[in-house]
Amino acid sequence: LLANIVNSSLFTFKNVDVVAIVYDTNKNVITTSATYVKEIGPQATVPISFTWPKPFKSEAVITEIIPRVNRLAD
């Protein structure tokens, strides 16, 4: 799964955890994966990817990507 994380703010974010959730046609979770972005500057875009060791058992229909930023961390 390939995606872009876009920082449209004027701030630099560090240590960004990004989670991907993959759903089937019934909106059941098939699988999840996570990746890490060390830093994303203001007005920047960073390409990210998620991988799995085996094919999915169901057809992937919906993907949700959730970035998690701790703005208080340095």
Side-chain angles (χ1 to χ4, degrees), residues 11 31 44 47 50 57 63 67-68 73:
F11 304 99
T31 189
F50 301 90
K57 293 182 180 182
T63 57
R68 296 179 36 191

Side-chain angles (χ1 to χ4, degrees), residues 26-44:
N26 296 315
K27 298 183 181 175
N28 295 312
V29 174
I30 299 172
T31 189
T32 62
S33 184
T35 192
Y36 170 82
V37 177
K38 185 174 181 176
E39 179 176 302
I40 181 168
Q43 306 298 314

Side-chain angles (χ1 to χ4, degrees), residues 2-31:
L2 303 175
N4 289 314
I5 295 295
V6 179
N7 178 1
S8 57
S9 78
L10 299 175
F11 304 99
T12 296
F13 294 106
K14 297 181 180 182
N15 306 319
V16 181
D17 292 314
V18 187
V19 175
I21 306 171
V22 180
Y23 299 89
D24 66 13
T25 56
N26 296 315
K27 298 183 181 175
N28 295 312
V29 174
I30 299 172
T31 189

Side-chain angles (χ1 to χ4, degrees), residues 37-54:
V37 177
K38 185 174 181 176
E39 179 176 302
I40 181 168
Q43 306 298 314
T45 300
V46 174
I48 58 173
S49 62
F50 301 90
T51 60
W52 290 268
K54 297 180 182 178

